[in-house]
Amino acid sequence: MKKRILLPLALLLGFSHLPAQQKILASGLPSHSGHPARQHQQNNPFQQVTKSPDPLQHQGMSLAAGQEIIRCYTVENELARRRENPQLPTDADFERWIEDKIVAHKQKQSSASRQAGTVYRIPVIVHVVHNGEPIGTGPNIMAAQVYSQIESLNEDLRRQNADRVNTRAIFAPMAADMELEFVPATVDPDGNQLAEPGIRRYHGKRASWDLRDDVEKILKPATIWDPTRYSNMWSASFGGNMAGLLGYAQFPESSGLNGMPTTPQSALTDGTVMVYTSFGCSTKDPGGIFSLRAPYNQGRTTTHEVGHWLGLRHIWGDGGCLVDDFVADTPAAAASNSGCNLTANSCNSNQAGDLPDMVENYMDYSNDGCMNAFTAGQKARTQAVMLNSPRRRELPASTVAGATYHDAGITKISFSKDCDGNISGTALLTNLPPREHLHLPPSRLM
């Protein structure tokens, strides 16, 4: 076993601000050997933070010459949130709280008090943020692209993704069905039927969103739907200081901590945010008409950010070999991985049982085509969050997906273009007796 501790988030940001070469290559970081049993350092990771650095000034990972990609901004966003809301529970408080919940959940599971195969179904609304472009142009992405993302996300969560066969044999026994699915909402908060289930189009009146504060303090509060009834996702165009960012999420919060209530601000910003060129799945786009950009074009940015929204940390713990992601069955790593380096072993202890970096885990920074698995330990953590965390535990009981679609999941999307260029498509919703089809008219696809 490899020893890990929880570092103050202010220290963790030091890793985020490393140049790209140092940030993503294990060879640029010190290795450790002979790790004893892991420990958790229970400290307040924000107690020495008095000013938040601009989290988007650091260098990201190179996508192409002259272009930098910031894979994820969740850690930095959490630091900024706690600076703005000092009354929020600390990172260490959350870990103490969730650890007890995970233990209780595992005990219930072992006693078979929860029926095997029960799946949490979460109603989702995708806010497609645009600047007045026609549907299917730029950030005003077509409905088929949105549905391809929901379908891909559900496949990843349920371990039904076609590339699950690529999980290496050493990690295959750890891979898990998360027993979570996202279902498109069918009604708005006032009970009106949505013309495009799961989609709300919003004219943001700007070509791009350039600052974190603009998203957190303007866009989200103006558009969010009740986060106890809907999981909110935003697809948008980023520019300026946010140029190159793929996405970020708001981490869940604890409840029942004396003197540490949740805040109204948290409810106004809860959800996940993704750049529109990474929101969707290219493997479900045989016509090549989606607005997606390789190598982050298979929907794994959303899978990664939903993992954060469900309480998962980066697999390397946002530090190094001694830093914990609080999941026992994920191997230690010195830093994030990019590309798909299956030989990476950045915390090689030279001991029996040592594991390489799990680059195929959705919570690493590997290319979309490399990611293919969550672990059983990650599942236990997310299930504990779904049972206990505010604005997560209420969602499975929400009725905004409607009687027709509440027990449904998108399992197939197909569309075609006729000789006049008109596009039509169908999203297949299953788990209904009998099966129902949601037909998407051409006017809603483009």
Side-chain angles (χ1 to χ4, degrees):
M1 297 287 287
K2 297 179 178 179
K3 177 182 177 181
R4 295 181 178 182
I5 58 175
L6 174 64
L7 287 182
L9 196 52
L11 276 177
L12 300 186
L13 286 176
F15 288 91
S16 295
H17 289 258
L18 289 174
Q21 286 270 340
Q22 291 175 277
K23 181 179 179 184
I24 65 177
L25 296 181
S27 60
L29 294 170
S31 62
H32 301 268
S33 61
H35 309 298
R38 70 172 74 197
Q39 299 176 355
H40 304 318
Q41 178 179 323
Q42 299 294 350
N43 63 333
N44 181 346
F46 305 103
Q47 62 186 356
Q48 296 180 349
V49 177
T50 58
K51 181 179 179 180
S52 174
D54 188 333
L56 295 179
Q57 290 293 340
H58 69 78
Q59 297 184 30
M61 295 179 291
S62 179
L63 179 67
Q67 186 173 29
E68 297 293 333
I69 290 296
I70 302 169
R71 192 72 165 95
C72 176
Y73 168 41
T74 297
V75 170
E76 293 89 340
N77 185 58
E78 287 304 303
L79 177 63
R81 289 185 63 237
R82 283 164 172 77
R83 177 179 59 87
E84 296 163 352
N85 302 285
Q87 71 274 34
L88 284 174
T90 68
D91 200 42
D93 287 326
F94 178 84
E95 289 304 333
R96 283 192 291 267
W97 173 80
I98 198 63
E99 184 175 14
D100 291 340
K101 303 301 182 184
I102 293 171
V103 171
H105 175 65
K106 288 181 176 179
Q107 290 174 344
K108 288 181 180 179
Q109 290 287 83
S110 63
S111 65
S113 62
R114 176 172 173 264
Q115 183 179 356
T118 300
V119 176
Y120 292 110
R121 292 189 170 86
I122 304 170
V124 61
I125 187 68
V126 178
H127 304 277
V128 176
V129 184
H130 60 89
N131 190 37
E133 298 90 348
I135 295 176
T137 303
N140 200 3
I141 57 178
M142 63 179 65
Q145 182 170 334
V146 174
Y147 296 133
S148 77
Q149 177 61 77
I150 298 174
E151 179 186 14
S152 176
L153 172 62
N154 287 340
E155 289 173 352
D156 290 347
L157 290 169
R158 298 303 313 277
R159 191 144 174 82
Q160 295 174 353
N161 50 304
D163 56 358
R164 64 186 181 277
V165 297
N166 296 332
T167 304
R168 286 173 288 177
I170 196 170
F171 294 124
M174 308 169 189
D177 172 0
M178 302 289 272
E179 295 187 318
L180 293 162
E181 293 178 359
F182 285 78
V183 184
T186 58
V187 297
D188 68 16
D190 296 323
N192 302 310
Q193 290 289 321
L194 293 172
E196 299 173 296
I199 299 173
R200 181 270 188 102
R201 298 188 184 274
Y202 178 75
H203 188 174
K205 299 182 180 179
R206 61 176 74 188
S208 64
W209 296 82
D210 299 348
L211 298 172
R212 179 254 179 193
D213 281 0
D214 288 348
V215 175
E216 294 295 300
K217 299 178 182 179
I218 299 175
L219 175 61
K220 283 185 173 182
T223 57
I224 194 167
W225 288 4
D226 182 354
T228 66
R229 302 169 66 201
Y230 304 84
S231 172
N232 287 264
M233 296 184 182
W234 287 267
S235 168
S237 176
F238 299 143
N241 199 35
M242 295 182 73
L245 174 64
L246 299 188
Y248 69 97
Q250 182 164 306
F251 207 67
E253 295 173 3
S254 53
S255 64
L257 290 171
N258 293 332
M260 295 181 180
T262 58
T263 68
Q265 290 83 358
S266 296
L268 289 174
T269 56
D270 202 357
T272 52
V273 183
M274 281 68 64
V275 67
Y276 76 94
T277 54
S278 290
F279 191 81
C281 183
S282 61
T283 63
K284 303 180 186 303
D285 178 24
I289 60 176
F290 292 171
S291 300
L292 295 170
R293 187 174 185 183
Y296 307 110
N297 60 346
Q298 295 184 32
R300 268 59 193 269
T301 292
T302 299
T303 301
H304 179 100
E305 299 308 337
V306 165
H308 285 313
W309 182 80
L310 291 167
L312 298 182
R313 297 180 178 276
H314 290 135
I315 195 170
W316 68 97
D318 292 288
C321 295
L322 302 183
V323 181
D324 204 356
D325 67 347
F326 296 92
V327 175
D329 60 2
T330 56
S336 62
N337 286 282
S338 64
C340 193
N341 182 8
L342 297 178
T343 66
N345 189 349
S346 57
C347 296
N348 189 351
S349 66
N350 296 314
Q351 295 178 353
D354 179 79
L355 294 174
D357 293 6
M358 192 178 182
V359 298
E360 57 262 67
N361 194 281
Y362 293 119
M363 302 313 295
D364 207 338
Y365 278 4
S366 306
N367 291 347
D368 280 18
C370 189
M371 297 177 169
N372 57 55
F374 286 114
T375 70
Q378 289 173 320
K379 174 182 179 177
R381 185 175 171 94
T382 61
Q383 298 255 320
V385 165
M386 285 301 301
L387 284 168
N388 297 283
S389 186
R391 301 183 304 279
R392 306 290 184 274
R393 63 190 178 205
E394 298 92 346
L395 288 170
S398 173
T399 60
V400 299
T404 302
Y405 303 110
H406 187 56
D407 292 324
I410 295 177
T411 58
K412 183 179 181 181
I413 296 173
S414 60
F415 53 92
S416 60
K417 181 184 293 185
D418 62 24
C419 296
D420 296 324
N422 296 317
I423 297 175
S424 61
T426 298
L428 178 64
L429 301 172
T430 59
N431 292 337
L432 285 173
R435 291 186 176 184
E436 299 286 345
H437 289 74
L438 171 61
H439 295 286
L440 308 172
S443 62
R444 298 301 176 186
L445 282 169
M446 288 295 290

